[in-house]
């Protein structure tokens, strides 16, 4: 018994074939087109009569798809790339085709059960207690915001009132999403603590900065954000030192491991994260260094009861899903309806096993360490920050911003690599962010050589 027509079946098969091809090949980097180029090659697709599946899919395959960069290319090293396993990417198709509702236990019990096992693996890596738990949200931005909102709500209840202004301690290297959440979304003040020479937040600096604040500012602090793998530098804060200061003041400790949290899986890097077991909330993006497709951020709370108090929505029509003892993902973040976006990550973990994840993260760390040596050994480039994880920040000696831009454009035009400039300490430089186990030291050498 087919529930679809022959025409539907042709469309489904054509899309599945496209996906199979995309997963089977080493896709080219591709390149963005200008709006004018897209107008010329695509034009108006949304029309009253519809263009039919063949033409719409042809436009995707021939023009629109290749006008999107392959973020999973092994020499895509800008921003934070991603590198989904085939299992994870394939399961993402299934999630779409099954149309699972992931917001409540009532509607998505099987999905939530599986997602929670994936969250548990992450909580165990971090050393969080048995009652810890949370939800997969869209990305680190929503993860950080949701955690900080829960932190403020918890502080409000503990104090029984508001200070003149709320405040949160961060550093210059704290991700832009945290500062955006605090400033724009939450209207909370930011106390910026100076980082050490590598931009790390240390407990001692936090203590000294806070001691120098006027009483009324200090009184408004309710949380501190430690970064476990800063985006620009790949460096891990002194989480244990920060946790001690947070404890002493009764602040919430949020650990942002959106990129670097994956390093918890690697025995060779685990020591860098000491203290993460004391976090009140923790995030890591499987869509960054844990081999899942976009979009997926694991948000985990030490005490989910406090998170639920902040995030559960109440309404008569929601009463049926509010059942004691059932885990409703919508209770833990700023969202209600939700795609079961942790499932591709769960499936791949279940298929490959956690040892394979450990090995894949170790592989990227090993390539990054070799890449750092290549940069140290070359005369024309200079490593700017000693790396902790898999981000390498370096400069081409003597280059200005235009030379970086020309070089980057040439590498993309020749489909060799995607590497963009960045800034550090007021100077222009560049960086490699390596999250793909297929990236080799030879790939890095090729790009470093291209800067002669
Ligand atoms: C990428 C990143 C974020 C933001 O995560 P999105 O998934 O892009 O929303 C937050 N913090 C850090 C440290 C990051 O690297």
């Amino acid at each position: 018994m087919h529930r679809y027509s022959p025409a539907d079946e042709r469309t489904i098969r054509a899309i599945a074939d496209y996906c199979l091809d995309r997963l089977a090949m080493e896709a080219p980097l591709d390149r963005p087109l200008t709006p004018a180029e897209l107008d010329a090659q695509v034009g108006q697709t949304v029309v009253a009569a519809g263009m039919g599946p063949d033409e719409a899919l042809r436009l995707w395959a021939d023009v629109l798809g290749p006008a999107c960069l392959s973020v999973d290319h092994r020499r895509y090293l800008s921003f934070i790339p991603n590198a989904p396993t085939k299992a994870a990417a394939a399961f993402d198709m299934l999630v779409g085709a099954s149309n699972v509702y992931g917001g409540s236990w009532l509607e998505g019990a099987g999905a939530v059960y599986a997602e929670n096992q994936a969250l548990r693996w992450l909580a165990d890596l971090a050393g969080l207690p048995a009652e810890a738990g949370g939800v997969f949200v869209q990305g680190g931005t929503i993860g950080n915001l949701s955690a900080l909102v829960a932190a403020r709500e918890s502080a409000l209840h503990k104090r029984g009132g508001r200070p003149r202004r709320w405040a949160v301690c961060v550093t210059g290297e704290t991700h832009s999403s945290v500062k955006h959440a605090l400033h724009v979304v939450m209207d909370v003040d930011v106390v910026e603590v100076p980082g050490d020479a590598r931009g790390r937040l240390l407990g001692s600096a936090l203590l000294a900065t806070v001691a120098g604040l006027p009483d009324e500012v200090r009184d408004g602090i309710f949380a501190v954000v430690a970064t476990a793998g800063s985006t620009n530098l790949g460096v891990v804060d002194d989480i244990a030192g920060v946790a001690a200061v947070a404890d002493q003041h009764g602040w919430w400790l949020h650990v942002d491991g959106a990129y670097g949290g994956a390093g918890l899986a690697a025995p060779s890097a685990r020591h860098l994260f000491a203290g993460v077991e004391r976090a009140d909330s923790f995030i890591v993006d499987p869509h960054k260094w844990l081999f899942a497709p976009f979009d997926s951020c694991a948000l985990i709370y030490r005490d989910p009861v406090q998170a639920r108090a902040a995030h559960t929505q109440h309404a008569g029509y929601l009463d049926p899903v509010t059942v004691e003892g059932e885990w409703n993902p919508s209770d833990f973040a700023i969202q209600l309806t939700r795609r079961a976006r942790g499932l591709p990550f769960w499936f791949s973990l279940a298929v490959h096993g956690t040892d394979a994840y450990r090995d894949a993260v170790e592989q990227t760390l090993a390539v990054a360490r070799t890449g750092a040596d290549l940069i140290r050994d070359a005369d024309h480039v200079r490593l700017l920050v000693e790396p902790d994880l898999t981000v390498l920040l370096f400069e081409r000696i003597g280059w200005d911003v235009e030379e970086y831009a020309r070089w980057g454009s040439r590498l993309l035009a020749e489909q060799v690599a995607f590497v963009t400039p960045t800034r550090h300490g007021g100077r222009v430089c560049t960086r490699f962010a390596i999250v793909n186990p297929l990236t080799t030291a030879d790939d890095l050498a090729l790009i470093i050589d291209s800067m002669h």
Side-chain angles (χ1 to χ4, degrees):
M1 254 287 278
H2 290 302
R3 286 182 294 131
Y4 42 74
S5 68
D8 282 343
E9 179 170 346
R10 264 201 319 281
T11 303
I12 294 165
R13 287 195 191 287
I15 292 174
D17 283 347
Y18 174 91
C19 295
L20 274 176
D21 281 352
R22 178 65 177 70
L23 287 174
M25 69 176 162
E26 205 171 319
L29 269 165
D30 290 325
R31 61 170 66 82
L33 298 179
T34 64
E37 287 170 320
L38 287 169
D39 279 346
Q41 295 179 46
V42 181
Q44 187 60 38
T45 55
V46 178
V47 293
M51 60 169 48
D54 296 347
E55 180 58 4
L57 187 57
R58 185 194 70 75
L59 283 171
W60 176 263
D62 290 354
V63 187
L64 296 167
C68 302
L69 293 179
S70 297
V71 181
D72 52 357
H73 188 282
R74 54 182 233 266
R75 287 188 300 274
Y76 183 119
L77 302 172
S78 290
F79 313 116
I80 305 286
N82 97 326
T85 63
K86 307 246 186 279
F91 207 77
D92 206 32
M93 292 194 283
L94 183 152
V95 172
S98 311
N99 206 26
V100 176
Y101 182 85
S104 70
W105 186 268
L106 175 66
E107 293 150 285
V112 178
Y113 179 83
E115 285 189 319
N116 283 353
Q117 288 196 353
L119 288 174
R120 189 62 242 168
W121 178 60
L122 296 168
D124 284 340
L125 287 179
L128 290 168
E131 61 277 13
V135 58
F136 287 95
V137 296
Q138 173 222 312
T141 299
I142 295 293
N144 284 332
L145 172 62
S146 299
L148 290 166
V149 165
R152 182 174 60 184
E153 198 64 14
S154 159
L156 183 63
H157 285 286
K158 267 200 291 200
R159 295 168 187 232
R162 291 168 207 283
R164 195 181 59 83
R165 293 281 303 165
W166 292 110
V168 170
C169 299
V170 304
T171 70
E173 295 301 328
T174 303
H175 192 264
S176 51
S177 62
V178 171
K179 294 169 186 171
H180 181 264
L182 294 171
H183 269 312
V184 180
V185 189
M186 296 172 68
D187 186 26
V188 163
D189 289 339
V190 166
V191 173
E192 195 164 306
V193 180
D196 73 359
R198 293 194 304 140
R200 298 170 72 224
L201 174 60
L202 303 183
S204 51
L206 178 61
L207 206 53
T209 298
V210 166
L213 293 172
D215 288 348
E216 59 170 16
V217 177
R218 187 172 45 244
D219 182 53
I221 297 173
F222 65 92
V224 55
V225 178
T227 305
S230 53
T231 314
N232 208 31
L233 312 179
V235 165
V236 182
D237 286 346
D238 166 26
I239 304 174
V242 172
V245 179
D247 251 8
Q248 190 184 327
H249 290 82
W251 302 333
W252 181 288
L253 171 62
H254 175 62
V255 176
D256 178 0
Y259 147 66
L264 285 166
S268 74
R270 181 61 181 82
H271 64 281
L272 297 168
F273 300 88
V276 67
E277 70 283 354
R278 294 161 75 179
D280 293 292
S281 52
F282 168 69
I283 66 159
V284 54
D285 280 0
H287 70 216
K288 285 182 170 169
W289 192 12
L290 283 173
F291 323 115
F294 302 125
D295 48 21
S296 173
C297 164
L299 162 61
I300 303 176
Y301 298 95
R302 161 179 299 278
D303 176 8
V305 175
Q306 291 191 54
R308 208 182 261 129
H311 289 298
T312 303
Q313 297 185 23
H314 300 281
Y317 44 81
L318 294 176
D319 286 348
V321 302
T322 313
V323 179
E324 188 63 32
E326 290 185 355
W327 195 270
N328 290 321
S330 61
D331 289 348
F332 300 102
I334 296 164
Q335 58 183 359
L336 183 61
T337 296
R338 102 177 245 286
R339 171 181 167 80
R341 49 172 42 91
L343 284 182
F345 172 57
W346 160 77
F347 182 72
S348 182
L349 261 180
V351 167
H352 294 293
T354 57
D355 286 356
Y357 276 70
R358 174 198 63 206
D359 294 348
V361 173
E362 286 288 11
Q363 165 67 18
T364 48
L365 280 162
V367 166
R369 288 174 191 134
T370 307
D373 286 338
L374 291 171
I375 294 167
R376 284 189 199 98
D377 292 347
D379 292 333
H380 63 301
V381 288
R382 183 187 301 140
L383 196 62
L384 295 178
V385 174
E386 277 306 310
D388 275 339
L389 301 171
T390 62
V391 173
L392 304 176
L393 189 85
F394 65 103
E395 67 176 345
R396 164 66 166 80
I397 294 162
W399 272 10
D400 62 19
V401 65
E402 275 85 34
E403 284 164 300
Y404 282 103
R406 266 202 305 277
W407 163 73
S409 303
R410 176 168 60 80
L411 288 184
L412 184 60
E414 293 171 357
Q415 296 285 287
V416 172
F418 183 60
V419 191
T420 49
T422 183
R423 274 175 289 118
H424 177 60
R427 71 220 274 187
V428 62
C429 51
T430 191
R431 62 193 261 294
F432 292 158
I434 303 152
V435 300
N436 191 333
L438 300 179
T439 303
T440 64
D442 284 347
D443 288 325
L444 305 184
L446 179 78
I447 300 169
I448 294 166
D449 281 349
S450 75
M451 302 178 92
H452 267 299

